[in-house]
Amino acid sequence: MNKFIFLLVISFPVIGYSQTPRFAGSDGVPRYRQILNLSGEAIPVGNNSNIEGTPFLQAGWAFGIVTLTDGSVFSDSAVNYSLSDGKLFVKRNANIYSIKHPVKEFLIHDPNTANESKAYHFQNGYPAIRKKDATTFYEV
């Protein structure tokens, strides 16, 4: 009888732990896990319930012109800028890639202005201020 009670007491914590999702919070959102895209970069996963909308400059992808620090210029039809982490992304063949080479400046066309030619122009290389450094992009 004592062995039965002992086994019963030990089995409850094991069963209780096995029913708890290992990487999910109380709201079911996965945490503490890295998901990688095809290029091996981590895609952030987590609860950002305090943020509304998209972390990108625009909700959709738009034509952009990117100038690298070595002077190379390329244009792409699917570019967007993440305001949350300050990275520039390109979308090709339904995959999203961040640009690994140092970017000097970029322009992104605003698709919401059908009749106007409006673009967002971002540039870096300015002196460090507070928690920002020379690689921080500013809209000019």
Side-chain angles (χ1 to χ4, degrees):
M1 180 69 174
N2 288 339
K3 288 182 182 180
F4 176 73
I5 293 174
F6 178 71
L7 289 174
L8 189 63
V9 168
I10 290 176
S11 65
F12 279 118
V14 173
I15 292 170
Y17 180 73
S18 66
Q19 299 300 318
T20 305
R22 186 169 178 201
F23 295 106
S26 60
D27 56 358
V29 176
R31 290 181 177 75
Y32 313 116
R33 179 174 239 180
Q34 281 190 334
I35 300 173
L36 305 177
N37 64 13
L38 294 176
S39 62
E41 295 177 17
I43 299 172
V45 175
N47 181 10
N48 292 321
S49 59
N50 60 341
I51 299 174
E52 293 182 16
T54 176
F56 289 113
L57 177 66
Q58 303 179 83
W61 297 83
F63 174 77
I65 300 172
V66 179
T67 304
L68 303 178
T69 55
D70 65 1
S72 303
V73 178
F74 69 93
S75 59
D76 205 295
S77 59
V79 176
N80 215 336
Y81 177 63
S82 173
L83 297 171
S84 64
D85 61 4
K87 291 184 180 178
L88 187 62
F89 292 92
V90 174
K91 185 175 182 181
R92 290 193 179 147
N93 300 327
N95 294 317
I96 299 172
Y97 304 99
S98 66
I99 298 178
K100 295 216 181 243
H101 299 288
V103 176
K104 178 183 176 185
E105 65 180 330
F106 62 92
L107 284 100
I108 298 179
H109 176 71
D110 183 3
N112 297 325
T113 56
N115 296 333
E116 300 176 27
S117 177
K118 182 179 177 187
Y120 296 100
H121 182 198
F122 285 84
Q123 193 170 4
N124 64 11
Y126 298 102
I129 265 184
R130 297 184 190 115
K131 295 182 181 179
K132 311 294 185 203
D133 59 9
T135 62
T136 303
F137 286 103
Y138 294 95
E139 185 175 6
V140 292

